Each structure stands twice: as C-alpha cells, then as structure tokens.
Amino acid sequence: MIRLHHCPQTRSMRSLWLLYELGVEFELQAYPFDKTLRQEPYRSLNPTGRVPTLEIDGAVLTESGAIAQYLCERFPAAGLGRDPGDAERIAWLNWLHFAETVSQHTAALTQQHVALYEDHMRSPIVMQLEAKRLAKTLRTVEATLEGDYLLSRFSAADVGVGQAVYMATHFVTLDDLPKVSAWSARLCAREAFRRALPEGPGLYAKDFYPPWEVTE
C-alpha cells in the first residue's frame, strides 16, 4: 500500500508528480493548508505537521528528497533514478536535494506574502532579500543546464527541481533565464505535472507576488 499525504502547491506536489510519473497505484489523502496538519490523526504520522508524508511498505517517510530516492529505488524500471555506479549518480543525488535549496527561499516568501494575515506582520526587507536569494538559485540552474533535462534524460531530479522552480515563479520571473524557461515549459507540459496541479483553489491566490518596496 502506498498513501501520500498532500497539500496542493506545497513540497508534497513533487512527491505527487513523481508518483504519477512512475505510474504506480497509490492513495492520495489531501489536506487544506491550515492547522489540520498539526492535529490528530495526522500529527501521529508526522509530528512536524508538514507535508509530504508517504506511507509505503509499512514504513513512513516525511522528507521529499528521501521519498524521491526511495521511490526511484523501489520502482527502478521507470528509469527515473540513477543506480550506484551510474556515471550520473552523484549529479542526480545533488539535484534531487538541490530542490530544497530552492524551496527554502520560496517557503520564506510564501510565509511573508501568503501565510501572514496582516500587513504589519510582513517585512519588505525579508521579501526583497529572499527574492534575491531565490533568483540566485535559479541562475545556478541556468548556468548548469546543457540539454533538455538536468541529466542526459528525464529523471526524478527534473521533478524535484522542476516543481521547486514552478513554485519559485510565484515570486521571481524567468525572463532573463532562457534555458530555465524552456526547460520549465517542457516539464509543465508533461501530463504527470498537470495531474499534480490543484483541481481547485491552491495555496496562492495570485500568480505572482512582487516584493514590497522598502520605505524609510
């Protein structure tokens, strides 16, 4: 039995997308982005009150990078992982976890623009700083991309980083990143990606949230 616990447009989207790419059967338990995750029965599964959580083979995994690595090793025929000894193994692992480097800045910006419910709680300085840091991570992808995908062919690395970049575009643009823009468009056209999108309202009420200006 495989069950994914998921909130639309959060880190768990990359686990959902990957499951669709793998083509395996699974159950999906979706939650609103609210205090439900900090209450029972979910809290007993994941005491941090976050998503994703994956139940599989009698075990529970709660980190998206670990989930991706385990799923690729559990279902190797899909070809989305890279085995030990593969020439691309190190790069695959690095990209798999680089998704979190991108996402940490997106999470900070989501808190500022979305989760905080009164304007006086928000910090224009934090917004501008995190947007610059986020843009820097995307420039790293731009400088590294050489072909259609991060590695020689599509893999879970594209899923992880691709989902992180999709989320990032709510706060920074890809206007000056032609290779990332083309790569992201290629990923967003995939059927599995489209299936992982929210069917109704997601986490973000707007497509783009620019930083606020810092005033004296």
Side-chain angles (χ1 to χ4, degrees):
M1 182 274 294
I2 303 174
R3 179 183 295 119
L4 176 66
H5 299 264
H6 165 66
C7 284
Q9 290 185 312
T10 66
R11 285 178 177 88
S12 62
M13 179 183 170
R14 69 183 62 143
S15 302
L16 180 60
W17 178 7
L18 180 58
L19 283 165
Y20 286 138
E21 291 283 1
L22 290 169
V24 299
E25 293 186 5
F26 65 97
E27 298 177 10
L28 181 63
Q29 179 66 57
Y31 301 85
F33 190 73
D34 61 17
K35 62 183 180 181
T36 305
L37 296 177
R38 299 190 296 274
Q39 299 173 339
E40 295 296 349
Y42 186 76
R43 188 170 62 181
S44 293
L45 271 178
N46 188 339
T48 63
R50 297 176 182 271
V51 287
T53 296
L54 186 77
E55 297 179 81
I56 182 169
D57 299 334
V60 175
L61 292 90
T62 59
E63 295 296 326
S64 59
I67 288 170
Q69 185 172 347
Y70 184 81
L71 286 174
C72 289
E73 292 171 355
R74 177 73 171 75
F75 302 102
L80 299 184
R82 296 294 186 271
D83 293 335
D86 189 294
E88 293 187 323
R89 171 72 171 188
I90 291 176
W92 180 78
L93 284 171
N94 202 59
W95 282 121
L96 203 64
H97 295 283
F98 183 77
E100 274 304 302
T101 298
V102 181
S103 291
Q104 65 177 327
H105 302 301
T106 303
L109 288 163
T110 299
Q111 181 185 59
Q112 287 291 319
H113 288 280
V114 179
L116 298 178
Y117 52 87
E118 294 186 17
D119 285 350
H120 72 85
M121 298 177 175
R122 300 182 169 99
S123 167
I125 294 176
V126 171
M127 292 178 184
Q128 292 200 8
L129 181 61
E130 289 296 333
K132 290 178 181 178
R133 288 171 171 168
L134 180 58
K136 184 177 181 179
T137 67
L138 302 193
R139 290 195 296 272
T140 298
V141 182
E142 178 74 14
T144 308
L145 268 170
E146 295 180 353
D148 289 345
Y149 301 108
L150 294 174
L151 304 177
S152 62
R153 64 185 188 278
F154 179 77
S155 75
D158 295 289
V159 173
V161 182
Q163 186 271 341
V165 170
Y166 159 72
M167 299 288 285
T169 57
H170 289 88
F171 306 104
V172 297
T173 73
L174 305 181
D175 294 344
D176 298 326
L177 304 171
K179 290 191 288 186
V180 172
S181 181
W183 166 78
S184 181
R186 191 175 301 115
L187 297 180
C188 291
R190 297 181 70 88
E191 179 184 357
F193 172 84
R194 296 196 300 269
R195 292 178 69 187
L197 293 170
E199 296 182 359
L203 180 59
Y204 301 105
K206 299 190 295 183
D207 291 333
F208 189 73
Y209 296 80
W212 290 6
E213 292 186 7
V214 178
T215 56
E216 296 295 339

